[in-house]
């Protein structure tokens, strides 16, 4: 495929055949291996300590990498994380990091290695030489309606993680309206497939399935999410975001041999949030990558959108649902989303939810605050009103955030 010997139309026909027929595990493993072998495979064997990596299949308000990477480094693991930009409704970690003035998201291999050894954590842009055949095939999938297939997604995700060289890989597989996998059953099938590929290729792949029915945390939009990540790293973040970071972190820490079990791992990680050590790792990582750390120590200094406009509730009730896709749509029309790869995005605009699941809302109380520059206000207000489902009855049972692991 990389040499051009197999033509795009042949690959496209093959992709559609896979979508109709599926692939066996052996076939999926072969495809993953071929992706890995098509480019560079990073080798961290000279780094002291266990190198870990995490990946999320993408969601709305998902800023877990900003919290989890420094948190795990504070727990003495080495975190080598290559991330991407956002496309469509999901925000990308690289875009979020660029909300920190001066933060360099492109590093040479040498700078990456040095920082991984000395600071213990690096998050930067994925380079084109990692699993390039996946990049080429993904571009074809995008235009032939063949993205949505479990073996193809699993091979794509796991190949890039294997090529990134980590010894322990934790995947956060999202299920719900704001995710690729709409149901828990599909997410479970994807998780099983990813773990099986890891086993076949001798790499430790662990999975957590988490809900993406409503946004993660309260902030959706790049700068707003950095501020929320900072609060979470200081032990003052929203409960759902903190819980997910602790669970993903506990899986990584336990697998890496840094804790006896998940409970002990979560307790250790929680201490690192509360005593400031996780936050200080984030500051050290940002400083090493050229970022202005004054905005992390005082997030009020982060750039702001010109206007903050609240969306009042037209009625009273209890919040039973907040549709993640609708909130993403609001952030996107305000300028936070990228309709295609070339479009510039506005890092300051977005949505901060004022109410969360189970909250009581009075008529006229703000449901959310929109951070607005010069476009999308009406459409964003409509999307927020559509996102919230209110009921006159209290929410007695909340669907779990972490579905299985
Ligand atoms: N993310 C990937 O990297 N690949 C897919 O196929 C889907 C999501």
């Amino acid at each position: 495929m990389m040499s051009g010997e197999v033509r795009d139309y042949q690959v496209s026909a093959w992709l559609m055949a896979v979508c109709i027929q599926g692939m066996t595990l052996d076939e999926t493993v072969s495809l993953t291996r071929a992706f890995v072998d098509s480019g560079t495979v990073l080798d961290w064997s000279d780094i002291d300590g266990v190198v870990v990596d995490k990946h999320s299949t993408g969601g709305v308000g998902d800023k877990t990498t900003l919290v989890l990477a420094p948190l795990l480094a504070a727990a003495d693991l080495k975190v080598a994380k290559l991330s991407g930009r956002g496309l469509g409704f999901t925000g990308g970690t690289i875009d979020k990091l660029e909300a920190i003035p001066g933060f360099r998201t492109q590093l040479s291999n040498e700078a990456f290695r040095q920082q991984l050894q000395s600071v213990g954590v690096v998050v930067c842009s994925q380079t084109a030489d990692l699993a390039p055949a996946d990049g080429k095939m993904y571009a074809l999938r995008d235009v032939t309606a063949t993205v949505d297939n479990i073996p193809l997604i699993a091979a794509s995700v796991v190949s890039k993680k294997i090529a990134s060289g980590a010894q322990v890989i934790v995947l956060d597989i999202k299920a719900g309206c704001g995710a690729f996998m709409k149901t828990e059953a599909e997410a479970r099938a994807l998780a099983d497939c990813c773990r099986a590929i890891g086993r076949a290729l001798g790499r430790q792949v662990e999975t957590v399935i988490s809900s993406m029915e409503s946004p993660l945390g309260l902030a959706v939009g790049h700068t707003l999410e950095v501020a929320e990540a900072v609060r979470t790293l200081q032990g003052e973040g929203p409960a759902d975001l903190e819980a997910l970071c602790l669970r993903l972190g506990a899986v990584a820490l336990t697998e890496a041999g840094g804790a006896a079990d998940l409970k002990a791992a979560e307790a250790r990680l929680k201490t690192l949030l509360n005593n400031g050590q996780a936050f200080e790792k984030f500051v050290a990582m940002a400083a090493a990558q050229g970022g202005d750390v004054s905005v992390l120590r005082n997030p009020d200094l982060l750039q702001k959108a010109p206007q903050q406009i609240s969306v009042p509730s037209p009625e009273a009730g209890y919040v039973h649902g907040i549709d993640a896709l609708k909130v993403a749509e609001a952030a996107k029309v305000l300028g936070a989303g990228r309709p295609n790869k070339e479009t510039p995005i506005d890092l300051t605009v977005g949505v901060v939810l004022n109410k969360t699941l189970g909250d009581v809302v009075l008529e006229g109380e703000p449901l959310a605050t929109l951070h607005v520059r010069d476009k999308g206000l009406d459409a964003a207000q409509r999307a927020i009103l559509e996102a919230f489902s209110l009921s006159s009855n209290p929410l007695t049972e909340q669907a779990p955030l972490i579905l299985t692991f």
Side-chain angles (χ1 to χ4, degrees):
M1 189 180 172
M2 295 309 289
S3 68
E5 200 179 319
V6 183
R7 299 304 174 102
D8 284 358
Y9 51 78
Q10 293 170 309
V11 179
S12 302
W14 178 81
L15 285 168
M16 191 51 81
V18 170
C19 284
I20 295 165
Q21 283 288 353
M23 276 198 290
T24 64
L25 178 60
D26 277 355
E27 289 165 341
T28 310
V29 169
S30 298
L31 179 65
T32 311
R33 193 182 282 122
F35 284 159
V36 174
D37 291 345
S38 69
T40 308
V41 180
L42 299 173
D43 176 4
W44 305 120
S45 53
D46 59 333
I47 299 286
D48 303 323
V50 183
V51 177
V52 301
D53 192 358
K54 68 77 72 164
H55 179 80
S56 149
T57 55
V60 180
D62 186 357
K63 67 284 286 175
T64 48
T65 293
L66 303 184
V67 178
L68 193 57
L71 175 59
L72 287 174
D76 300 325
L77 300 184
K78 293 291 196 307
V79 186
K81 169 86 178 106
L82 297 167
S83 289
R85 294 191 184 277
L87 188 61
F89 65 83
T90 60
T93 299
I94 291 302
D95 299 314
K96 292 171 198 180
L97 286 170
E98 286 178 355
I100 303 167
F103 195 104
R104 278 192 304 274
T105 54
Q106 302 216 321
L107 296 185
S108 68
N109 285 349
E110 203 32 52
F112 192 115
R113 191 172 291 276
Q114 266 182 18
Q115 185 178 326
L116 184 60
Q117 184 64 56
S118 59
V119 183
V121 52
V122 189
V123 183
C124 75
S125 282
Q126 187 172 305
T127 50
D129 57 350
L130 283 188
D134 167 64
K136 221 172 153 189
M137 195 177 275
Y138 193 87
L140 281 177
R141 287 168 62 202
D142 209 18
V143 292
T144 56
T146 54
V147 169
D148 198 4
N149 173 270
I150 286 173
L152 290 177
I153 295 174
S156 169
V157 168
V158 176
S159 65
K160 284 177 291 212
K161 295 288 108 182
I162 289 184
S164 304
Q167 284 132 314
V168 174
I169 297 161
V170 178
L171 303 180
D172 177 14
I173 304 212
K174 305 284 190 192
C177 72
F180 263 121
M181 301 290 113
K182 301 295 175 204
T183 66
E184 190 180 340
E186 286 173 320
R188 197 185 296 274
L190 178 58
D192 289 348
C193 189
C194 291
R195 283 200 309 276
I197 298 172
R199 266 196 307 279
L201 294 180
R203 210 62 80 80
Q204 209 170 331
V205 176
E206 299 297 326
T207 55
V208 172
I209 297 176
S210 65
S211 169
M212 191 28 78
E213 292 296 346
S214 47
L216 188 60
L218 302 171
V220 179
H222 303 82
T223 307
L224 301 169
E225 291 189 41
V226 169
E228 187 166 88
V230 165
R231 281 195 299 281
T232 309
L233 280 162
Q234 294 169 330
E236 288 164 9
D240 60 345
L241 176 61
E242 180 180 292
L244 182 59
C245 290
L246 289 177
R247 176 56 60 88
L248 290 167
V251 171
L253 191 56
T254 313
E255 291 305 320
D261 55 29
L262 288 177
K263 196 161 169 248
E266 282 201 20
R268 179 164 171 216
L269 295 172
K270 177 79 180 129
T271 304
L272 295 168
L273 291 180
N274 290 342
N275 68 12
Q277 288 186 33
F279 173 66
E280 288 305 326
K281 265 294 172 205
F282 190 42
V283 171
M285 176 182 85
Q289 291 182 235
D292 174 2
V293 298
S294 67
V295 302
L296 301 179
R297 297 210 179 275
N298 179 5
D300 285 344
L301 298 176
L302 281 162
Q303 229 198 331
K304 281 193 185 57
Q307 301 182 73
Q308 280 71 44
I309 296 171
S310 55
V311 183
S313 177
E315 55 178 342
Y318 295 90
V319 181
H320 275 225
I322 308 173
D323 184 310
L325 258 193
K326 293 279 177 200
V327 177
E329 192 183 311
K332 190 172 166 191
V333 293
L334 292 172
R338 216 183 238 110
N340 59 57
K341 274 190 183 147
E342 285 70 42
T343 319
I345 51 173
D346 188 332
L347 296 175
T348 63
V349 299
V351 178
V352 177
L353 302 174
N354 297 110
K355 296 289 176 182
T356 189
L357 289 175
D359 280 357
V360 64
V361 183
L362 304 177
E363 187 185 326
E365 257 197 303
L367 294 170
T369 304
L370 303 178
H371 291 244
V372 185
R373 185 174 301 279
D374 52 9
K375 64 177 180 189
L377 176 59
D378 289 350
Q381 280 170 326
R382 269 197 308 278
I384 293 299
L385 291 175
E386 285 168 17
F388 274 82
S389 312
L390 299 185
S391 160
S392 50
N393 301 317
L395 183 66
T396 46
E397 207 179 321
Q398 205 158 313
L401 168 70
I402 295 164
L403 301 167
T404 183
F405 65 93

